PDB file of all heavy atoms in Angstrom:
ATOM      1  N   ILE T 160     -24.685  24.477 -40.035  1.00  0.00           N
ATOM      2  CA  ILE T 160     -23.849  25.090 -41.074  1.00  0.00           C
ATOM      3  C   ILE T 160     -24.735  25.774 -42.118  1.00  0.00           C
ATOM      4  O   ILE T 160     -24.448  26.880 -42.570  1.00  0.00           O
ATOM      5  CB  ILE T 160     -22.918  24.054 -41.742  1.00  0.00           C
ATOM      6  CG1 ILE T 160     -21.975  23.404 -40.703  1.00  0.00           C
ATOM      7  CG2 ILE T 160     -22.129  24.690 -42.878  1.00  0.00           C
ATOM      8  CD1 ILE T 160     -21.035  24.329 -39.971  1.00  0.00           C
ATOM      9  N   GLN T 161     -25.850  25.134 -42.472  1.00  0.00           N
ATOM     10  CA  GLN T 161     -26.776  25.725 -43.449  1.00  0.00           C
ATOM     11  C   GLN T 161     -27.371  27.034 -42.921  1.00  0.00           C
ATOM     12  O   GLN T 161     -27.522  27.997 -43.663  1.00  0.00           O
ATOM     13  CB  GLN T 161     -27.897  24.751 -43.803  1.00  0.00           C
ATOM     14  CG  GLN T 161     -28.806  25.255 -44.923  1.00  0.00           C
ATOM     15  CD  GLN T 161     -28.042  25.516 -46.217  1.00  0.00           C
ATOM     16  OE1 GLN T 161     -27.334  24.645 -46.718  1.00  0.00           O
ATOM     17  NE2 GLN T 161     -28.160  26.731 -46.761  1.00  0.00           N
ATOM     18  N   TYR T 162     -27.701  27.071 -41.637  1.00  0.00           N
ATOM     19  CA  TYR T 162     -28.223  28.305 -41.035  1.00  0.00           C
ATOM     20  C   TYR T 162     -27.206  29.441 -41.199  1.00  0.00           C
ATOM     21  O   TYR T 162     -27.565  30.559 -41.589  1.00  0.00           O
ATOM     22  CB  TYR T 162     -28.557  28.099 -39.550  1.00  0.00           C
ATOM     23  CG  TYR T 162     -28.883  29.394 -38.849  1.00  0.00           C
ATOM     24  CD1 TYR T 162     -30.147  29.981 -38.978  1.00  0.00           C
ATOM     25  CD2 TYR T 162     -27.935  30.066 -38.088  1.00  0.00           C
ATOM     26  CE1 TYR T 162     -30.445  31.182 -38.364  1.00  0.00           C
ATOM     27  CE2 TYR T 162     -28.230  31.265 -37.469  1.00  0.00           C
ATOM     28  CZ  TYR T 162     -29.476  31.822 -37.610  1.00  0.00           C
ATOM     29  OH  TYR T 162     -29.766  33.028 -36.997  1.00  0.00           O
ATOM     30  N   TYR T 163     -25.946  29.154 -40.895  1.00  0.00           N
ATOM     31  CA  TYR T 163     -24.913  30.191 -41.022  1.00  0.00           C
ATOM     32  C   TYR T 163     -24.688  30.574 -42.490  1.00  0.00           C
ATOM     33  O   TYR T 163     -24.426  31.736 -42.792  1.00  0.00           O
ATOM     34  CB  TYR T 163     -23.618  29.779 -40.309  1.00  0.00           C
ATOM     35  CG  TYR T 163     -23.722  30.053 -38.832  1.00  0.00           C
ATOM     36  CD1 TYR T 163     -24.268  29.113 -37.964  1.00  0.00           C
ATOM     37  CD2 TYR T 163     -23.337  31.273 -38.295  1.00  0.00           C
ATOM     38  CE1 TYR T 163     -24.420  29.376 -36.610  1.00  0.00           C
ATOM     39  CE2 TYR T 163     -23.480  31.550 -36.949  1.00  0.00           C
ATOM     40  CZ  TYR T 163     -24.027  30.601 -36.111  1.00  0.00           C
ATOM     41  OH  TYR T 163     -24.187  30.873 -34.779  1.00  0.00           O
ATOM     42  N   SER T 164     -24.831  29.633 -43.395  1.00  0.00           N
ATOM     43  CA  SER T 164     -24.764  29.947 -44.833  1.00  0.00           C
ATOM     44  C   SER T 164     -25.914  30.881 -45.217  1.00  0.00           C
ATOM     45  O   SER T 164     -25.715  31.855 -45.943  1.00  0.00           O
ATOM     46  CB  SER T 164     -24.838  28.675 -45.679  1.00  0.00           C
ATOM     47  OG  SER T 164     -23.705  27.880 -45.482  1.00  0.00           O
ATOM     48  N   ASP T 165     -27.112  30.561 -44.723  1.00  0.00           N
ATOM     49  CA  ASP T 165     -28.275  31.391 -45.016  1.00  0.00           C
ATOM     50  C   ASP T 165     -28.107  32.791 -44.426  1.00  0.00           C
ATOM     51  O   ASP T 165     -28.416  33.797 -45.087  1.00  0.00           O
ATOM     52  CB  ASP T 165     -29.554  30.753 -44.453  1.00  0.00           C
ATOM     53  CG  ASP T 165     -29.908  29.439 -45.148  1.00  0.00           C
ATOM     54  OD1 ASP T 165     -29.350  29.145 -46.234  1.00  0.00           O
ATOM     55  OD2 ASP T 165     -30.736  28.693 -44.578  1.00  0.00           O
ATOM     56  N   MET T 166     -27.617  32.877 -43.206  1.00  0.00           N
ATOM     57  CA  MET T 166     -27.394  34.191 -42.570  1.00  0.00           C
ATOM     58  C   MET T 166     -26.348  34.990 -43.353  1.00  0.00           C
ATOM     59  O   MET T 166     -26.494  36.194 -43.548  1.00  0.00           O
ATOM     60  CB  MET T 166     -26.937  34.026 -41.120  1.00  0.00           C
ATOM     61  CG  MET T 166     -28.036  33.646 -40.161  1.00  0.00           C
ATOM     62  SD  MET T 166     -29.271  34.962 -39.937  1.00  0.00           S
ATOM     63  CE  MET T 166     -30.598  34.346 -40.941  1.00  0.00           C
ATOM     64  N   LEU T 167     -25.310  34.313 -43.801  1.00  0.00           N
ATOM     65  CA  LEU T 167     -24.267  34.981 -44.576  1.00  0.00           C
ATOM     66  C   LEU T 167     -24.848  35.558 -45.863  1.00  0.00           C
ATOM     67  O   LEU T 167     -24.549  36.700 -46.229  1.00  0.00           O
ATOM     68  CB  LEU T 167     -23.130  34.000 -44.892  1.00  0.00           C
ATOM     69  CG  LEU T 167     -21.949  34.562 -45.663  1.00  0.00           C
ATOM     70  CD1 LEU T 167     -21.284  35.712 -44.909  1.00  0.00           C
ATOM     71  CD2 LEU T 167     -20.941  33.448 -45.937  1.00  0.00           C
ATOM     72  N   ASN T 168     -25.699  34.808 -46.519  1.00  0.00           N
ATOM     73  CA  ASN T 168     -26.343  35.292 -47.733  1.00  0.00           C
ATOM     74  C   ASN T 168     -27.193  36.532 -47.435  1.00  0.00           C
ATOM     75  O   ASN T 168     -27.182  37.505 -48.200  1.00  0.00           O
ATOM     76  CB  ASN T 168     -27.193  34.191 -48.365  1.00  0.00           C
ATOM     77  CG  ASN T 168     -27.766  34.628 -49.700  1.00  0.00           C
ATOM     78  OD1 ASN T 168     -27.043  35.101 -50.582  1.00  0.00           O
ATOM     79  ND2 ASN T 168     -29.064  34.482 -49.849  1.00  0.00           N
ATOM     80  N   ILE T 169     -27.917  36.505 -46.323  1.00  0.00           N
ATOM     81  CA  ILE T 169     -28.728  37.660 -45.929  1.00  0.00           C
ATOM     82  C   ILE T 169     -27.838  38.863 -45.633  1.00  0.00           C
ATOM     83  O   ILE T 169     -28.131  39.983 -46.062  1.00  0.00           O
ATOM     84  CB  ILE T 169     -29.633  37.292 -44.724  1.00  0.00           C
ATOM     85  CG1 ILE T 169     -30.702  36.292 -45.179  1.00  0.00           C
ATOM     86  CG2 ILE T 169     -30.273  38.543 -44.112  1.00  0.00           C
ATOM     87  CD1 ILE T 169     -31.468  35.634 -44.035  1.00  0.00           C
ATOM     88  N   VAL T 170     -26.761  38.645 -44.900  1.00  0.00           N
ATOM     89  CA  VAL T 170     -25.815  39.728 -44.587  1.00  0.00           C
ATOM     90  C   VAL T 170     -25.310  40.375 -45.877  1.00  0.00           C
ATOM     91  O   VAL T 170     -25.247  41.593 -45.993  1.00  0.00           O
ATOM     92  CB  VAL T 170     -24.623  39.210 -43.745  1.00  0.00           C
ATOM     93  CG1 VAL T 170     -23.483  40.205 -43.699  1.00  0.00           C
ATOM     94  CG2 VAL T 170     -25.085  38.864 -42.332  1.00  0.00           C
ATOM     95  N   LYS T 171     -25.001  39.529 -46.836  1.00  0.00           N
ATOM     96  CA  LYS T 171     -24.444  40.031 -48.097  1.00  0.00           C
ATOM     97  C   LYS T 171     -25.472  40.740 -48.965  1.00  0.00           C
ATOM     98  O   LYS T 171     -25.124  41.703 -49.651  1.00  0.00           O
ATOM     99  CB  LYS T 171     -23.853  38.866 -48.910  1.00  0.00           C
ATOM    100  CG  LYS T 171     -22.580  38.299 -48.329  1.00  0.00           C
ATOM    101  CD  LYS T 171     -22.121  37.128 -49.195  1.00  0.00           C
ATOM    102  CE  LYS T 171     -20.835  36.507 -48.705  1.00  0.00           C
ATOM    103  NZ  LYS T 171     -20.415  35.382 -49.572  1.00  0.00           N
ATOM    104  N   THR T 172     -26.715  40.283 -48.972  1.00  0.00           N
ATOM    105  CA  THR T 172     -27.653  40.756 -49.994  1.00  0.00           C
ATOM    106  C   THR T 172     -28.908  41.465 -49.502  1.00  0.00           C
ATOM    107  O   THR T 172     -29.549  42.159 -50.293  1.00  0.00           O
ATOM    108  CB  THR T 172     -28.115  39.568 -50.868  1.00  0.00           C
ATOM    109  OG1 THR T 172     -28.823  38.628 -50.045  1.00  0.00           O
ATOM    110  CG2 THR T 172     -26.930  38.877 -51.539  1.00  0.00           C
ATOM    111  N   ALA T 173     -29.297  41.300 -48.245  1.00  0.00           N
ATOM    112  CA  ALA T 173     -30.591  41.823 -47.791  1.00  0.00           C
ATOM    113  C   ALA T 173     -30.572  43.329 -47.555  1.00  0.00           C
ATOM    114  O   ALA T 173     -29.661  43.854 -46.918  1.00  0.00           O
ATOM    115  CB  ALA T 173     -31.029  41.096 -46.521  1.00  0.00           C
ATOM    116  N   ASP T 174     -31.618  43.980 -48.058  1.00  0.00           N
ATOM    117  CA  ASP T 174     -31.770  45.410 -47.803  1.00  0.00           C
ATOM    118  C   ASP T 174     -32.516  45.593 -46.473  1.00  0.00           C
ATOM    119  O   ASP T 174     -32.903  44.624 -45.817  1.00  0.00           O
ATOM    120  CB  ASP T 174     -32.512  46.085 -48.952  1.00  0.00           C
ATOM    121  CG  ASP T 174     -33.917  45.531 -49.182  1.00  0.00           C
ATOM    122  OD1 ASP T 174     -34.449  44.817 -48.307  1.00  0.00           O
ATOM    123  OD2 ASP T 174     -34.474  45.814 -50.250  1.00  0.00           O
ATOM    124  N   SER T 175     -32.727  46.840 -46.083  1.00  0.00           N
ATOM    125  CA  SER T 175     -33.325  47.133 -44.780  1.00  0.00           C
ATOM    126  C   SER T 175     -34.728  46.546 -44.644  1.00  0.00           C
ATOM    127  O   SER T 175     -35.087  46.052 -43.576  1.00  0.00           O
ATOM    128  CB  SER T 175     -33.350  48.635 -44.521  1.00  0.00           C
ATOM    129  OG  SER T 175     -34.083  49.305 -45.529  1.00  0.00           O
ATOM    130  N   ALA T 176     -35.522  46.587 -45.715  1.00  0.00           N
ATOM    131  CA  ALA T 176     -36.885  46.047 -45.648  1.00  0.00           C
ATOM    132  C   ALA T 176     -36.851  44.539 -45.384  1.00  0.00           C
ATOM    133  O   ALA T 176     -37.652  44.016 -44.605  1.00  0.00           O
ATOM    134  CB  ALA T 176     -37.645  46.336 -46.929  1.00  0.00           C
ATOM    135  N   SER T 177     -35.927  43.835 -46.009  1.00  0.00           N
ATOM    136  CA  SER T 177     -35.800  42.389 -45.804  1.00  0.00           C
ATOM    137  C   SER T 177     -35.311  42.081 -44.391  1.00  0.00           C
ATOM    138  O   SER T 177     -35.806  41.147 -43.748  1.00  0.00           O
ATOM    139  CB  SER T 177     -34.830  41.786 -46.817  1.00  0.00           C
ATOM    140  OG  SER T 177     -35.304  41.989 -48.125  1.00  0.00           O
ATOM    141  N   VAL T 178     -34.349  42.852 -43.902  1.00  0.00           N
ATOM    142  CA  VAL T 178     -33.818  42.630 -42.553  1.00  0.00           C
ATOM    143  C   VAL T 178     -34.911  42.883 -41.515  1.00  0.00           C
ATOM    144  O   VAL T 178     -35.052  42.137 -40.548  1.00  0.00           O
ATOM    145  CB  VAL T 178     -32.581  43.519 -42.287  1.00  0.00           C
ATOM    146  CG1 VAL T 178     -32.146  43.434 -40.831  1.00  0.00           C
ATOM    147  CG2 VAL T 178     -31.435  43.119 -43.212  1.00  0.00           C
ATOM    148  N   GLU T 179     -35.706  43.909 -41.732  1.00  0.00           N
ATOM    149  CA  GLU T 179     -36.769  44.266 -40.783  1.00  0.00           C
ATOM    150  C   GLU T 179     -37.766  43.123 -40.594  1.00  0.00           C
ATOM    151  O   GLU T 179     -38.347  42.968 -39.521  1.00  0.00           O
ATOM    152  CB  GLU T 179     -37.485  45.525 -41.252  1.00  0.00           C
ATOM    153  CG  GLU T 179     -38.455  46.096 -40.245  1.00  0.00           C
ATOM    154  CD  GLU T 179     -37.817  46.514 -38.928  1.00  0.00           C
ATOM    155  OE1 GLU T 179     -36.859  47.306 -38.939  1.00  0.00           O
ATOM    156  OE2 GLU T 179     -38.267  46.027 -37.874  1.00  0.00           O
ATOM    157  N   LYS T 180     -37.943  42.279 -41.597  1.00  0.00           N
ATOM    158  CA  LYS T 180     -38.909  41.174 -41.535  1.00  0.00           C
ATOM    159  C   LYS T 180     -38.373  39.939 -40.792  1.00  0.00           C
ATOM    160  O   LYS T 180     -39.130  39.020 -40.507  1.00  0.00           O
ATOM    161  CB  LYS T 180     -39.306  40.752 -42.958  1.00  0.00           C
ATOM    162  CG  LYS T 180     -40.093  41.803 -43.695  1.00  0.00           C
ATOM    163  CD  LYS T 180     -40.361  41.347 -45.118  1.00  0.00           C
ATOM    164  CE  LYS T 180     -40.950  42.474 -45.949  1.00  0.00           C
ATOM    165  NZ  LYS T 180     -40.968  42.137 -47.376  1.00  0.00           N
ATOM    166  N   LEU T 181     -37.099  39.909 -40.485  1.00  0.00           N
ATOM    167  CA  LEU T 181     -36.496  38.747 -39.826  1.00  0.00           C
ATOM    168  C   LEU T 181     -36.950  38.630 -38.375  1.00  0.00           C
ATOM    169  O   LEU T 181     -37.366  39.615 -37.760  1.00  0.00           O
ATOM    170  CB  LEU T 181     -34.967  38.861 -39.862  1.00  0.00           C
ATOM    171  CG  LEU T 181     -34.295  38.865 -41.233  1.00  0.00           C
ATOM    172  CD1 LEU T 181     -32.807  39.161 -41.078  1.00  0.00           C
ATOM    173  CD2 LEU T 181     -34.510  37.547 -41.953  1.00  0.00           C
ATOM    174  N   SER T 182     -36.802  37.432 -37.814  1.00  0.00           N
ATOM    175  CA  SER T 182     -37.047  37.254 -36.375  1.00  0.00           C
ATOM    176  C   SER T 182     -36.017  38.105 -35.624  1.00  0.00           C
ATOM    177  O   SER T 182     -34.965  38.446 -36.172  1.00  0.00           O
ATOM    178  CB  SER T 182     -36.878  35.779 -35.977  1.00  0.00           C
ATOM    179  OG  SER T 182     -35.504  35.421 -35.967  1.00  0.00           O
ATOM    180  N   ILE T 183     -36.307  38.424 -34.383  1.00  0.00           N
ATOM    181  CA  ILE T 183     -35.410  39.272 -33.602  1.00  0.00           C
ATOM    182  C   ILE T 183     -34.008  38.660 -33.507  1.00  0.00           C
ATOM    183  O   ILE T 183     -33.012  39.364 -33.589  1.00  0.00           O
ATOM    184  CB  ILE T 183     -35.996  39.582 -32.204  1.00  0.00           C
ATOM    185  CG1 ILE T 183     -35.122  40.620 -31.472  1.00  0.00           C
ATOM    186  CG2 ILE T 183     -36.192  38.323 -31.386  1.00  0.00           C
ATOM    187  CD1 ILE T 183     -35.756  41.155 -30.203  1.00  0.00           C
ATOM    188  N   MET T 184     -33.924  37.354 -33.369  1.00  0.00           N
ATOM    189  CA  MET T 184     -32.620  36.712 -33.260  1.00  0.00           C
ATOM    190  C   MET T 184     -31.843  36.784 -34.574  1.00  0.00           C
ATOM    191  O   MET T 184     -30.653  37.082 -34.583  1.00  0.00           O
ATOM    192  CB  MET T 184     -32.775  35.258 -32.826  1.00  0.00           C
ATOM    193  CG  MET T 184     -31.454  34.631 -32.442  1.00  0.00           C
ATOM    194  SD  MET T 184     -31.689  32.980 -31.863  1.00  0.00           S
ATOM    195  CE  MET T 184     -30.631  32.136 -33.007  1.00  0.00           C
ATOM    196  N   ASP T 185     -32.522  36.499 -35.688  1.00  0.00           N
ATOM    197  CA  ASP T 185     -31.849  36.574 -36.983  1.00  0.00           C
ATOM    198  C   ASP T 185     -31.434  38.016 -37.302  1.00  0.00           C
ATOM    199  O   ASP T 185     -30.366  38.253 -37.859  1.00  0.00           O
ATOM    200  CB  ASP T 185     -32.746  36.023 -38.091  1.00  0.00           C
ATOM    201  CG  ASP T 185     -32.919  34.511 -38.009  1.00  0.00           C
ATOM    202  OD1 ASP T 185     -32.213  33.862 -37.206  1.00  0.00           O
ATOM    203  OD2 ASP T 185     -33.769  33.972 -38.747  1.00  0.00           O
ATOM    204  N   LYS T 186     -32.291  38.950 -36.952  1.00  0.00           N
ATOM    205  CA  LYS T 186     -31.980  40.363 -37.181  1.00  0.00           C
ATOM    206  C   LYS T 186     -30.721  40.750 -36.391  1.00  0.00           C
ATOM    207  O   LYS T 186     -29.826  41.401 -36.917  1.00  0.00           O
ATOM    208  CB  LYS T 186     -33.166  41.227 -36.752  1.00  0.00           C
ATOM    209  CG  LYS T 186     -33.073  42.661 -37.207  1.00  0.00           C
ATOM    210  CD  LYS T 186     -34.168  43.551 -36.628  1.00  0.00           C
ATOM    211  CE  LYS T 186     -35.554  43.141 -37.006  1.00  0.00           C
ATOM    212  NZ  LYS T 186     -36.554  44.121 -36.519  1.00  0.00           N
ATOM    213  N   PHE T 187     -30.670  40.314 -35.133  1.00  0.00           N
ATOM    214  CA  PHE T 187     -29.492  40.613 -34.318  1.00  0.00           C
ATOM    215  C   PHE T 187     -28.244  39.984 -34.932  1.00  0.00           C
ATOM    216  O   PHE T 187     -27.183  40.600 -34.959  1.00  0.00           O
ATOM    217  CB  PHE T 187     -29.681  40.147 -32.869  1.00  0.00           C
ATOM    218  CG  PHE T 187     -28.522  40.526 -31.985  1.00  0.00           C
ATOM    219  CD1 PHE T 187     -28.305  41.844 -31.641  1.00  0.00           C
ATOM    220  CD2 PHE T 187     -27.640  39.563 -31.527  1.00  0.00           C
ATOM    221  CE1 PHE T 187     -27.223  42.213 -30.847  1.00  0.00           C
ATOM    222  CE2 PHE T 187     -26.560  39.912 -30.739  1.00  0.00           C
ATOM    223  CZ  PHE T 187     -26.350  41.243 -30.396  1.00  0.00           C
ATOM    224  N   MET T 188     -28.376  38.770 -35.439  1.00  0.00           N
ATOM    225  CA  MET T 188     -27.251  38.092 -36.079  1.00  0.00           C
ATOM    226  C   MET T 188     -26.748  38.912 -37.272  1.00  0.00           C
ATOM    227  O   MET T 188     -25.550  39.156 -37.408  1.00  0.00           O
ATOM    228  CB  MET T 188     -27.672  36.696 -36.532  1.00  0.00           C
ATOM    229  CG  MET T 188     -26.613  35.943 -37.306  1.00  0.00           C
ATOM    230  SD  MET T 188     -25.324  35.247 -36.294  1.00  0.00           S
ATOM    231  CE  MET T 188     -26.185  33.885 -35.570  1.00  0.00           C
ATOM    232  N   VAL T 189     -27.663  39.364 -38.132  1.00  0.00           N
ATOM    233  CA  VAL T 189     -27.284  40.167 -39.298  1.00  0.00           C
ATOM    234  C   VAL T 189     -26.611  41.459 -38.850  1.00  0.00           C
ATOM    235  O   VAL T 189     -25.544  41.842 -39.350  1.00  0.00           O
ATOM    236  CB  VAL T 189     -28.508  40.451 -40.195  1.00  0.00           C
ATOM    237  CG1 VAL T 189     -28.181  41.485 -41.266  1.00  0.00           C
ATOM    238  CG2 VAL T 189     -28.999  39.156 -40.832  1.00  0.00           C
ATOM    239  N   PHE T 190     -27.223  42.148 -37.888  1.00  0.00           N
ATOM    240  CA  PHE T 190     -26.648  43.404 -37.391  1.00  0.00           C
ATOM    241  C   PHE T 190     -25.260  43.170 -36.792  1.00  0.00           C
ATOM    242  O   PHE T 190     -24.328  43.945 -37.045  1.00  0.00           O
ATOM    243  CB  PHE T 190     -27.550  44.025 -36.315  1.00  0.00           C
ATOM    244  CG  PHE T 190     -28.817  44.642 -36.826  1.00  0.00           C
ATOM    245  CD1 PHE T 190     -29.877  44.854 -35.954  1.00  0.00           C
ATOM    246  CD2 PHE T 190     -28.970  45.030 -38.148  1.00  0.00           C
ATOM    247  CE1 PHE T 190     -31.057  45.439 -36.394  1.00  0.00           C
ATOM    248  CE2 PHE T 190     -30.149  45.611 -38.604  1.00  0.00           C
ATOM    249  CZ  PHE T 190     -31.193  45.820 -37.718  1.00  0.00           C
TER     250      PHE T 190
END
């Protein structure tokens, strides 16, 4: 649940530079 909370926060607030730094799986999740 915490992972999905963290991903939700990234979806809401992360800009392209922050998303680019994520692991491939997390990046796919955000996209």
Side-chain angles (χ1 to χ4, degrees):
I160 300 299
Q161 186 60 53
Y162 171 80
Y163 279 87
S164 294
D165 294 345
M166 284 293 103
L167 182 60
N168 185 51
I169 291 168
V170 166
K171 289 178 179 180
T172 63
D174 60 15
S175 59
S177 299
V178 172
E179 189 61 55
K180 293 176 189 169
L181 297 173
S182 74
I183 187 170
M184 191 177 123
D185 289 351
K186 192 187 299 185
F187 184 70
M188 175 77 74
V189 170
F190 287 160

